[in-house]
Amino acid sequence: MDKIRYDVPQSARIWNYWQGGKDNYPVDRAAGDAWIAIQPEIAAIAKQSRQFLMRAVRYLAAEAGVHQFLDIGTGFPTLQNTHEVAQAVAPESKVVYVDNDPLVLAHARALLVNTTDEGVTAYIDADYHDPDLIVSDARNVLNFTQPIAVMFMGVLGHVADYNEARAIVSRVFAATPSGSYLALWENTDLTETARAAAAEYVKSGAIPYRLCTPAQVGGFFEDLQLVEPGSVPLNQWRPGPVEVGAIEPLDAYAAVGRKP
Ligand SMILES: C[S@@+](CC[C@H](N)C(=O)[O-])C[C@H]1O[C@@H](n2cnc3c(N)ncnc32)[C@H](O)[C@@H]1O
């Protein structure tokens, strides 16, 4: 296991801070606060991204009939995780989580346990820069002759080069059969505050986060059939009813697509 670093901010812990969790340290909160000072919207993105994950997984398990999930860059267990959402709809759902943060690993062992007798939940401690390793480990749990939902939820910005991020997704997805799905979202660069916050974040010592253009988010789905409403701000992807007014778009795009 990699050593847990308390002197360098870590993505999973900063994200946990923004989501309102307790699995973070002063160094993470300082980096998180520095981002919020420039782009306050990031806290809403962090919270709304979980809502998107829940809507996407529910769609996949209930409407698309996919009961296998490979959630790469899982982050800390939170209120509603992929297996809880999927197994509530389809109890037999199998979920494999992947992350490379040593503290996430420690929590995952304790918390990511099945919510049903039929379901399976597993965790792989791996770096997504080695997609072949992830696929070969995931084969121990998932049946790669049946559709799989591959999830990259706000994680690929840590890959410095967009084309390399595309290659990672392609490499994992190449192992899946027709009828599989990709669910993905990324922080986008539409607002000056997002661009400035990401630039400032580099100075924190954390692994930088590269923002995408909305077109680049769509690019991950180039060979796939986009599920309605396509690639949109993540809080506008099949939202629930709003009591009053319209849903203001956040600077983060999300989509779900099916492999033909
Ligand atoms: C912004 S958080 C998103 C967490 C979660 N997907 C969510 O939507 O709440 C990014 C996650 O990606 C993980 N991550 C970053 N680089 C990674 C890598 N090279 N391999 C695997 N996971 C990575 C981090 O540890 C962190 O948990």
Side-chain angles (χ1 to χ4, degrees):
M1 191 203 277
D2 289 339
K3 198 168 159 288
I4 296 171
R5 296 285 304 260
Y6 300 102
D7 55 337
V8 179
Q10 303 292 318
S11 159
R13 300 183 330 215
I14 298 169
W15 198 245
N16 172 266
Y17 175 51
W18 287 334
Q19 285 184 327
K22 303 230 175 315
D23 299 310
N24 48 74
Y25 296 90
V27 71
D28 309 310
R29 295 194 281 274
D33 285 339
W35 189 306
I36 284 180
I38 303 171
Q39 190 201 20
E41 179 187 329
I42 194 70
I45 291 174
K47 294 190 178 87
Q48 283 296 321
S49 76
R50 183 55 46 164
Q51 300 296 322
F52 165 68
L53 180 148
M54 290 160 61
R55 294 195 301 276
V57 170
R58 219 174 278 131
Y59 165 82
L60 290 163
E63 292 184 47
V66 178
H67 300 151
Q68 305 193 95
F69 295 82
L70 182 55
D71 180 350
I72 300 177
T74 310
F76 284 98
T78 174
L79 280 181
Q80 284 283 301
N81 303 292
T82 299
H83 71 287
E84 284 152 339
V85 180
Q87 289 171 356
V89 175
E92 71 276 29
S93 294
K94 296 178 179 175
V95 178
V96 173
Y97 292 110
V98 181
D99 208 291
N100 71 340
D101 184 295
L103 200 60
V104 172
L105 172 67
H107 283 249
R109 285 200 178 125
L111 289 173
L112 297 177
V113 289
N114 281 334
T115 51
T116 60
D117 290 341
E118 313 92 299
V120 180
T121 307
Y123 183 87
I124 300 173
D125 175 29
D127 188 324
Y128 56 48
H129 289 93
D130 193 348
D132 295 343
L133 174 78
I134 290 173
V135 168
S136 79
D137 269 12
R139 283 186 196 283
N140 293 324
V141 174
L142 306 180
N143 176 354
F144 276 72
T145 68
Q146 296 294 319
I148 295 173
V150 178
M151 302 163 57
F152 285 95
M153 298 296 208
V155 302
L156 287 169
H158 288 304
V159 184
D161 179 63
Y162 171 69
N163 289 323
E164 193 188 339
R166 289 275 300 263
I168 289 169
V169 174
S170 300
R171 195 79 179 229
V172 174
F173 221 56
T176 65
S178 161
S180 292
Y181 282 81
L182 174 65
L184 175 152
W185 73 264
E186 277 299 305
N187 286 90
T188 42
D189 66 351
L190 294 175
T191 53
E192 171 53 31
T193 55
R195 295 192 295 272
E200 186 68 20
Y201 182 71
V202 173
K203 298 179 194 159
S204 74
I207 297 173
Y209 206 91
R210 174 188 44 75
L211 305 177
C212 276
T213 63
Q216 285 177 327
V217 175
F220 285 106
F221 295 85
E222 200 170 60
D223 301 322
L224 308 181
Q225 300 158 335
L226 275 179
V227 169
E228 285 297 319
S231 178
V232 294
L234 57 75
N235 54 333
Q236 294 185 340
W237 195 90
R238 297 183 174 232
V242 271
E243 282 181 19
V244 183
I247 298 175
E248 292 303 321
L250 291 169
D251 200 354
Y253 269 59
V256 175
R258 181 182 184 277
K259 188 171 184 172

